Amino acid sequence: MKFTAYFSSILLFLSRAECFPPDLRSSSSSIRKSSSANPFTTSPELHSHNKNRISPKKVKIAIVGAGPAGLLLAHYLIRRSNYEIHVFEKRSDPRRFLPSELRTFPVSLQEQRGLSALRSIPGLESALERHGAWTFGACLHTGSTRRRVSMPPSLAVDRNEVALVLLKRLVEAKESSCDGGSSVRFYFDSSIEDIEFDRKILTISSSSNSEEETWTHSFDGVVAADGARSKIRNALAKQHRLQYKTDKVPDDYKPISLLRSSRDGSIHLQDDLLHGCMVGTTRIIIAPNHNEDSTYSGTCIFPSGQDPFADMKDAKEVMQYFQDTMPKTFVPLLTMEEAKNLLTRPVSTSITVQCDTLHIGDSVLLIGDAAHAVSPSLGQGCNSALQDAVLFNECLDHHRDDWRLALSSFTNRRLKCAHALEELSSYSTPRTKWMRVEWMIRTVLAKLLPQWLKRLGFLRPMPLELLQTTNLTYSEILSRTQWWTNRVKRSHPSK
């Protein structure tokens, strides 16, 4: 039975999309000039390479939030014609920090989802591979034993490394872009204080060298990519332009790092597997991303309000806790320095977000966690956020950069999937002992039975199987597996 719990815990491999960056700042206010023309409506000149023609006025796009979703969308926009992209981020420039200072939690980018969204931008996947590792299964640790479970390949990489690679590549794209083409500019340490949607003006508070300034910035379009607690989305809701609901994810977490190998070389974590263990209600998931300090990053997950390190006084107590409770294969991999960090590192919480629309009018787009933050139980947060960017780029292609039509098309194509993803993430993992047993049996049978027998309907597919092995949309997956999610929902204590 413990093996079943360990196996299900590997699903809690975190995946979120919030965070990071900008590097240049303009202290002057930007006043929007009135124009009767729709800046998003393209003309034949927009995609023309005839230098004798007068270039149309550039379309000013403000991307609020420089996490994976916002930065990938900026990559797609800078490859288009005639965009002036401004990226705002409340946090500091991540390029100024050491890798160990930026480390957060690993995400698992899947072939059919997150990685496919990156592949249209040359060099992104190979750059991420240098900071992560391909995994082909999971190793579940208990006591002094290890059990391997095969899983489809995915790229495990630290969430902030994803954002940092996207940022650096975007800066390179900016420097190599031709004069007269699209441009991008970054504003770090810049928080959105207010937004006037009718006048299309952002009020921004920036801090630099201990000095703060408030300034305004005009836009033709704004992208809310500022995470689950999005200020743009909240402002829209206060003005009754959209409705959304949030729920707290019942688990909290702390990042954790373990050595790749013990000091004496007797224990080594295989570098093509995820590694996990479960002790009571506390789970640890470790990904083999290649940190410069010879460690692997991971996440310590526990029920809300039950931080196992909260009442410990010093690092020695943390080390003793590992000695007494953790698998023997994990104990020598915790350093005294990391034990100290676990005492002071803040607890992180997560919320889910569900919106009734993903756009407003002809100028506002919501993507990533700002649009559909989900439980990390299926590892789809970052994958779905990256998919948002490529899907909106497809909408721009189809509607020739007419944002009014592209925004409406995006909501029509994505909203149902966003709601389906929330249900899949919340109600795919079994909550009762007997459902866990059934889930484990079905998972094993799915690997053993031949495909032709499954196609006859002998064994109905489970959500995780379809997520990992197909490119079906989230709504299609929910439609095929709702028989299971409805059962999990009925077993949920709060339901």
Side-chain angles (χ1 to χ4, degrees), residues 372-387:
H372 49 73
V374 296
S375 162
S377 60
L378 294 182
Q380 292 301 305
C382 193
N383 284 283
S384 63
L386 296 175
Q387 282 185 306

Side-chain angles (χ1 to χ4, degrees), residues 272-318:
D272 61 352
L273 298 174
L274 301 176
H275 296 268
C277 73
M278 188 169 186
V279 178
T281 57
T282 299
R283 292 150 288 174
I284 293 179
I285 308 295
I286 299 294
N289 46 323
H290 299 294
N291 300 328
E292 295 180 356
D293 56 359
S294 298
T295 64
Y296 286 155
S297 298
T299 311
C300 180
I301 309 162
F302 41 85
S304 181
Q306 298 182 33
D307 176 7
F309 312 107
D311 297 326
M312 298 182 187
K313 298 178 181 179
D314 55 37
K316 290 183 178 179
E317 283 193 51
V318 177

Side-chain angles (χ1 to χ4, degrees), residues 247-265:
D247 286 305
K248 188 180 183 304
V249 175
D251 290 323
D252 296 340
Y253 70 94
K254 279 186 175 184
I256 186 173
S257 295
L258 297 181
L259 294 171
R260 300 176 195 172
S261 302
S262 58
R263 302 292 189 190
D264 61 5

